[in-house]
Amino acid sequence: RDSIAGEMAKPGGAGAGAVEYEGGSVRVVVRVRPLLPAEVEDGLVKAGMDLGQRAVLLQPSAAEGTDGAVDEPAEGNVSRGDRARKYIFDAVLGETCTQEDLFARCGLADLAAQAVSGFHATVFAYGQTGSGKTFTMEGGQTSRAEQDGVVPRMLAETFRRLNAVESRGDILSYEASVSFAQLYNEQVLDLLADTQAKIRNAGEKTGSLGSGMGYQRSLSLRWRANEGCFA
Ligand code: ADP
Ligand code: MG
């Protein structure tokens, strides 16, 4: 057991360069993406806010300043009222944050270590459409490895740790399985199932079906005491 200690981790530990988290098993990190070229072309401006290591300071809205002036609100200004508002997170990542920085500052190598040690681990992205969830989780241009997001980096880190344990000939052996599902409109869709392709092929032969969209049956979401939620 000692020999695998390097690959094992207890929840709560922070890896090199990671944020020190103040207890608790849930960490909340906010990432602000840069304006897109099309948004700059459309004349959009950045929201009035300052980003610290852990704090977001929203500036007061110009429209509701204390002098009673009725200025037009700056477009994109997210704060209402006459005072700045400060929100604290476990980490705040600005627009110059790379995918590699994000992985490090969120302590995700530790999370992989915890998963290898048998703890359940979850990473999820939350935000409005266009805020950068897919970019953060899956990545940018697939041809550029430095743009790889959380999922490919997490897989690489997890398998690196599993291989490290196995290559030392330890008593432990691992079985890894991967599923890829989409929860959309309260339906769970298995993105690895070939149902869609089968239906599409059948449709092409008979000419009776369209693109195949909407024909995939959704999975049922189940729960077991020892396994938690699964589809
Ligand atoms: P969501 O999945 O939340 O709807 P996307 O991940 O598709 O949003 O992001 C919207 C657009 O912004 C995409 O064109 C994406 O490439 C770009 N984008 C998102 N985050 C970043 C970032 N950190 N740096 C540069 N571009 C980004
Ligand atoms: Mg998306």
Side-chain angles (χ1 to χ4, degrees):
R1 286 236 158 231
D2 280 352
S3 64
I4 57 169
E7 303 304 322
M8 308 298 250
K10 290 196 182 78
V19 190
E20 290 290 342
Y21 293 97
E22 289 170 1
S25 54
V26 178
R27 303 164 178 186
V28 182
V29 172
V30 62
R31 183 184 207 181
V32 177
R33 73 157 169 79
L35 283 178
L36 302 176
E39 291 171 330
V40 175
E41 263 173 44
D42 288 349
L44 296 186
V45 297
K46 287 177 200 164
M49 59 183 175
D50 296 322
L51 305 182
Q53 287 288 303
R54 296 195 46 199
V56 175
L57 189 68
L58 300 184
Q59 307 297 0
S61 156
E64 297 164 283
T66 46
D67 61 3
V70 280
D71 296 333
E72 281 293 305
E75 205 171 344
N77 204 326
V78 286
S79 182
R80 296 272 173 270
D82 60 1
R83 62 187 178 85
R85 284 160 208 270
K86 192 175 183 182
Y87 298 93
I88 307 290
F89 301 91
D90 289 304
V92 173
L93 308 174
E95 54 190 86
T96 59
C97 173
T98 64
Q99 301 285 60
E100 190 181 3
D101 291 341
L102 179 128
F103 193 83
R105 297 231 14 235
C106 293
L108 293 182
D110 273 349
L111 201 67
Q114 289 162 23
V116 167
S117 303
F119 295 97
H120 286 286
T122 301
V123 181
F124 78 90
Y126 174 86
Q128 72 185 66
T129 297
S131 59
K133 301 181 298 295
T134 299
F135 182 92
T136 296
M137 299 302 279
E138 294 180 15
Q141 291 169 23
T142 48
S143 57
R144 295 174 61 189
E146 80 267 17
Q147 288 203 2
D148 279 355
V150 167
V151 172
R153 286 171 195 271
M154 206 67 182
L155 284 171
E157 181 64 20
T158 302
F159 281 102
R160 192 188 66 72
R161 286 173 183 272
L162 292 180
N163 288 336
V165 170
E166 285 201 328
S167 68
R168 281 197 300 265
D170 283 312
I171 44 165
L172 294 179
S173 72
Y174 287 94
E175 190 180 299
S177 64
V178 175
S179 53
F180 190 29
Q182 181 181 33
L183 179 57
Y184 185 74
N185 273 350
E186 299 185 20
Q187 294 204 311
V188 185
L189 302 176
D190 182 350
L191 299 182
L192 298 181
D194 58 0
T195 323
Q196 293 254 16
K198 277 182 192 152
I199 290 170
R200 239 190 336 267
N201 291 341
E204 275 159 18
K205 273 185 198 124
T206 63
S208 61
L209 290 173
S211 68
M213 290 299 290
Y215 289 96
Q216 191 185 7
R217 237 179 304 130
S218 78
L219 308 170
S220 57
L221 201 57
R222 286 173 287 181
W223 184 88
R224 269 191 216 128
N226 56 344
E227 287 180 78
C229 270
F230 64 99

